[in-house]
Structure formats: structure tokens, C-alpha cells
Amino acid sequence: MKKTALLLALLLALSGCQPAAPVEAQNGGSASSAAEESAPASGPADEDSRENPAPQADASYVDAPEPDEPPQTTVGAIELPAEPASSDAGYSVDLLTPAQYDLYYPLNRGGYRQFQTADFFPLGQGGKYAVANRNGRLLTNVEYELGIEGWNSIDGMVPLKKDGKAGAIDAADGSVLVPFEYDDVWCASGSDGSGLYRVQKGDAVEMIDRTGVTRFSMERGDDFTALKKRFVLYKDGMLRFYNQQYSPIANFACDGMEVVSSPRTNEGGRDLIAFDYEGAWGLADSDGKFLTDPVYDEIGYFTGSYAVVTQNGKRGIINDRGKVVVKPEWDDITLYKSSASVCKDNRWGVITDIDSGEPAVKPSYDYIMGFGDYGYACFERNGKFGIMDKEGNEIVPARYDGTLSTSRSLDKGYYILESGDGPFNSGIVDGRGRVIIPTDHYVQPGADGEKLNLVLTPSGKWGFANDRGQFVIDAQFENASPFISGKNVAFVQKDGKICLVNRKGELVLKTVFSDLIGYNPDTMVCAMEYTAADGTVKGCLVKVNLPA
């Protein structure tokens, strides 16, 4: 079984973005009930309002205390203009705090910063931070160190440090979820929000519930994962399964385990565990039931309902019930969402109906990628790339030097062309070979059916192109983010100031602020920066009001 970065990423997501420490069940009653966690924010982009109704914001997500009044002005605050924003279209802003905070940028892992979304706001002064909720209400004093890189909570909790001790608060109301008495704190709840917290003091590591009761204690060498409705512990050569009341429900001996599927990391998937027994791997569900005996050299991570397995050096595919759907007879397999590319003798074909186990296209290509929107896939022949359908018909001949991909944000017959590595490597072409946007641009396709695509030009300006690659909002912005779901406006930066633009390209709100560090797309509370005449930069919270 591969012990790679992919495994780490899976375990990070399952255990709350940090590898879960090993644990052992403790005696005691079940956890007391707690308020449900806030639902995640809606996506950053919406459907074209002319074709599809705009989705509504999740009301539960914005259910958090609102500000009573702005906090007092402190030393170092800078004065804002009397009119911080202007609009001829009914938009306005409310100042929720003075401009007196230092706003930090979370660690940049690559790509363009744009304007990040947030479900809480860290406000810094003198190296310490206060936390405000998604409605802009200050939840704490300025006395904490941050225990999280981004501005989005983990299952509704925000890990912090105070006087060198770690704890955690609720991102909505600031209530203390974990007291500030530990060396380290992290969230390890299942995707249903059941709520367990990993806490560490010295070498002692425990899982506690929201009442502070220890549910599992940990020793070096153990392994623990919180699944959707189960807790799984590997300890003393045994894999143990517990229900949400922390009662054991199953166990069996093995030499190791890996979570190979979880609803958190595998869309449409279910919790599945691969286990190692004397060097061979089998599959079990979250109740500890064997789905396969340990007969495989390797079990890969599930994509939807399927995973690649290796047996006697050959690769096949099993489904999430443990049934073999593609016999282990291939030299290599790449599994995609709705297809599987299969290799024999260095030639690639594709299985488009995975349950059938039979290739729709025999191995004859350099490579075939996954089938995406409109049922097309990119193929490679002799170093050139084209597009085929699921019957193997070549819709676009192999004539491009870069890979092609389809997207719901593009009309049928239009493709994103990736020309290589580097910041400017993508464009848009059509199936007749016409270049609509050259490949010295950067194209960010609209998400969730959004028909306006962000495009960054070689001159460093952002604009918006429609589903045929035509610029409908000219590339004129220093920074931009996608249109906000349900609101049909997008944040942009023009002439050094933060603005809102509508789908016609009109600036419907102009502000005096020089940067937007983070915003909540449901509440429209924003962490803005203002640059004074002397160059001093300070941040504040601002609420953007949309016309009724």
C-alpha cells in the first residue's frame, strides 16, 4: 500500500487537516448533545442569472451573533474618509470596526491570491489576534495566537493559543470548545459534525468530546480516524471499530490500516478501510465487515464507487462492495470519475462503462484522459492532443501541442488548452482549430455552472470571458474573484481600489479600500485594508449592503 502524500492528504481531511494521533477507548457515558455545526459556505460562483435562478444562501450558515456596536478605537488606528464607498446602484457599506488591525495573508501554496472567502476573521494588533465571526461580531479580545493558516474554521472550531497554551473556540459565537491548557489542539470529528478534539500535553494525547470527557487515550504507534458515523482505532495489532456512543462494535487482527474512501475526500463515496494482513491487503466497511479477504498487493484510493487494485503485479478495479469489475490483467490503470484508462504494452485504451469491465476503445493511444463534461476526453497520439467521445470517435484531431479539457462553463465545442507549466499556460480554442484566447493567458473556469470565466492576461490584468471565450468584461482589473453565488456581483480591484462589478461590467460599488483580504459570501462581511496618505496600512471589517 502506498504511503504517499496522497495518503497524508486523505488522512488530513478525515481527521481535521492533521494526522490523527492513536487512541484507546475510555469508560464513561456518551457525549452530551451539542448545537449542530454551521454548514459550509456556498460555492464562489453561481449560474448565469439569465438562464438559471440564482441559488439561495444557506440560512444556517449565517446564523451567528451580529455586532452590537463597533469596538473602541485603539492607538495606531488611521482615520478613514467620511464616505468610504460610493454607488449609483443602491449598494453601500457599513464600517464594523475602526481601521486599526493588521490583516495577515494565509500561507500561499501556489496560484493567484485573488480574494479569499472566510467564515471567521482574525484581526491582529501587536502580534496577537482577536477573532470576529462571519457577521463581523468580535468574539474575543486581542490576546490569541492563531493555530490555523486559513480563514475558514474546521467543523466550526477555530484552534488558537493563549499564553503558550492551545485551545479552541466556536467560530460562530466564541464559546470555548477546548479550554486553553494544552500543548496542541485539533479537530478530529467525523463529517457529520459529531465532534471530537485531539489534545496533547507532553507525550499524552487524548481525544475529548465537547464536554471535556476523554473518549480515547493514545500511545505511540497507534492509529486513529474519525469517520462519518464510526471511530476506527488500530492498536496492539488489532483494528477496532466504535459507534458514535464510543461503544466497540467490531475488531479483528491485522498489521496496519488505511482509510481509502470517505465522503469528505471522495464525492459520493462511503467510509472504507483497507487493512494489511501478513503483507496482503483486504477491504472492510466502517462496521468492520470484510468486503474482500486480504488477497491484494495494493488497494488504491476510491474514486466514486471504484478503486484500482494490484494482484500479482497486474492491475484491476473493484467496486465499493468488494466485487471485481475489471479483472487484474492490465499493466496500468488510471481511474477517473466516469471512466478508466487502461494500459497494455505501453498503449492506452479506455473503459467507459466500468461495470462492464470491457474497453470501449482498445489500447492504441499514447494516453487517454478522463471523460468530462459533454462526454469527451483528451487523447494523445504521437505527442499531439485531440478530443474523442465515449465511442472512440475523434471529435477533434490530434493537432494541439497541449492538453484539452471541457468544462460546463464553456459551450459545447469549446475547450481549455493547457500549453505547459508556468503561470500563463492556458487559453481557449474551438473544435475547428480556431484560437479564441491564446495560451499565454491564465483561464480560471467558472465553478458550479457559472458561465463567466476569469481570465488573466499576460499584462497582468483580469477580465471575464463568456462560455465561448469572448471577453464580455474587458481585462482591466488588477485583481478579481469569481461572481458570488446568488448575488451576481464580483469583487475586483481597479486603479488600486476594491470595487464590485456586475455582469454587464459596470462598477456598481467603488470603495476607498486598497485591498480585500477575505470576505464571507453569505453575509458580505469583508476584511478590507486602507492605505493612508503616508503609506500606513491598516485593516478593518466592512459589511457590504446589496440593494433590496
Side-chain angles (χ1 to χ4, degrees), residues 370-427:
F371 284 81
D373 300 295
Y374 309 117
Y376 297 148
C378 180
F379 67 87
E380 180 182 5
R381 180 194 291 124
N382 299 325
K384 298 287 186 178
F385 296 88
I387 291 286
M388 69 167 55
D389 64 17
K390 288 191 173 183
E391 286 71 44
N393 301 308
E394 296 184 5
I395 305 301
V396 177
R399 61 186 175 209
Y400 292 102
D401 293 327
T403 59
L404 299 161
S405 62
T406 60
S407 170
R408 284 197 301 143
S409 63
L410 295 180
D411 196 6
K412 189 173 182 179
Y414 290 78
Y415 309 95
I416 295 175
L417 176 61
E418 303 280 350
S419 62
D421 298 327
F424 296 95
N425 68 345
S426 57

Side-chain angles (χ1 to χ4, degrees), residues 125-148:
Q125 286 182 329
K128 301 289 186 181
Y129 288 88
V131 175
N133 69 12
R134 61 185 71 96
N135 281 324
R137 180 188 179 102
L138 279 179
L139 303 177
T140 73
N141 295 322
V142 184
E143 56 184 347
Y144 293 99
E145 302 168 26
L146 294 177
I148 189 172

Side-chain angles (χ1 to χ4, degrees), residues 105-439:
Y105 298 92
L107 183 63
N108 186 357
R109 298 188 182 278
Y112 302 100
R113 178 175 69 84
Q114 300 182 294
F115 307 125
Q116 66 175 324
T117 57
D119 66 4
F120 74 93
F121 299 95
L123 306 175
Q125 286 182 329
K128 301 289 186 181
Y129 288 88
V131 175
N133 69 12
R134 61 185 71 96
N135 281 324
R137 180 188 179 102
L138 279 179
L139 303 177
T140 73
N141 295 322
V142 184
E143 56 184 347
Y144 293 99
E145 302 168 26
L146 294 177
I148 189 172
E149 289 178 357
W151 288 25
N152 286 282
S153 62
I154 304 170
D155 283 343
M157 68 93 85
V158 181
L160 301 167
K161 282 194 173 183
K162 181 180 179 181
D163 299 327
K165 295 297 183 182
I169 66 170
D170 190 298
D173 61 16
S175 59
V176 175
L177 298 176
V178 180
F180 290 85
E181 58 185 57
Y182 297 98
D183 298 334
D184 187 29
V185 169
W186 212 255
C187 178
S189 67
S191 58
D192 61 347
S194 55
L196 280 182
Y197 303 107
R198 173 190 182 275
V199 296
Q200 181 174 353
K201 283 184 180 180
D203 293 333
V205 182
E206 297 177 335
M207 286 288 179
I208 64 173
D209 64 22
R210 295 191 178 201
T211 68
V213 174
T214 297
R215 295 300 178 181
F216 299 91
S217 292
M218 309 180 188
E219 298 175 2
R220 187 181 299 276
D222 297 345
D223 196 1
F224 173 84
T225 298
L227 302 177
K228 184 176 182 180
K229 294 184 179 180
R230 296 287 186 262
F231 302 108
V232 181
L233 164 67
Y234 176 70
K235 185 179 181 68
D236 297 330
M238 187 175 295
L239 194 57
R240 310 177 185 192
F241 297 79
Y242 300 85
N243 63 21
Q244 289 181 305
Q245 289 71 46
Y246 312 105
S247 298
I249 58 173
N251 57 261
F252 57 83
C254 66
D255 299 314
M257 58 85 73
E258 291 182 8
V259 178
V260 290
S261 178
S262 165
R264 282 191 165 188
T265 57
N266 178 25
E267 182 180 357
R270 61 195 189 110
D271 289 317
L272 296 171
I273 310 291
F275 61 91
D276 174 19
Y277 185 75
E278 296 183 348
W281 289 85
L283 187 69
D285 64 17
S286 60
D287 291 325
K289 178 183 177 182
F290 277 33
L291 301 178
T292 75
D293 290 327
V295 295
Y296 296 107
D297 305 330
E298 181 179 356
I299 298 177
Y301 299 103
F302 276 78
T303 299
S305 299
Y306 304 98
V308 176
V309 295
T310 305
Q311 190 173 41
N312 299 323
K314 294 294 184 178
R315 295 195 172 185
I317 297 175
I318 61 172
N319 65 17
D320 59 5
R321 304 294 170 179
K323 179 183 176 181
V324 175
V325 293
V326 176
K327 295 179 181 179
E329 59 186 9
W330 297 94
D331 298 338
D332 201 359
I333 296 178
T334 304
L335 186 59
Y336 294 99
K337 191 172 183 179
S338 61
S339 64
S341 298
V342 293
C343 179
K344 186 166 286 187
D345 299 327
N346 293 319
R347 308 305 296 164
W348 287 84
V350 64
I351 299 174
T352 54
D353 179 2
I354 297 177
D355 285 325
S356 75
E358 296 298 324
V361 177
K362 301 295 183 182
S364 58
Y365 289 88
D366 295 349
Y367 191 68
I368 301 175
M369 298 181 185
F371 284 81
D373 300 295
Y374 309 117
Y376 297 148
C378 180
F379 67 87
E380 180 182 5
R381 180 194 291 124
N382 299 325
K384 298 287 186 178
F385 296 88
I387 291 286
M388 69 167 55
D389 64 17
K390 288 191 173 183
E391 286 71 44
N393 301 308
E394 296 184 5
I395 305 301
V396 177
R399 61 186 175 209
Y400 292 102
D401 293 327
T403 59
L404 299 161
S405 62
T406 60
S407 170
R408 284 197 301 143
S409 63
L410 295 180
D411 196 6
K412 189 173 182 179
Y414 290 78
Y415 309 95
I416 295 175
L417 176 61
E418 303 280 350
S419 62
D421 298 327
F424 296 95
N425 68 345
S426 57
I428 295 177
V429 299
D430 70 11
R432 290 176 288 179
R434 295 186 304 175
V435 176
I436 311 301
I437 294 178
T439 55

Side-chain angles (χ1 to χ4, degrees), residues 87-100:
S87 173
D88 295 328
Y91 294 79
S92 64
V93 300
D94 293 332
L95 295 176
L96 303 183
T97 73
Q100 59 190 19

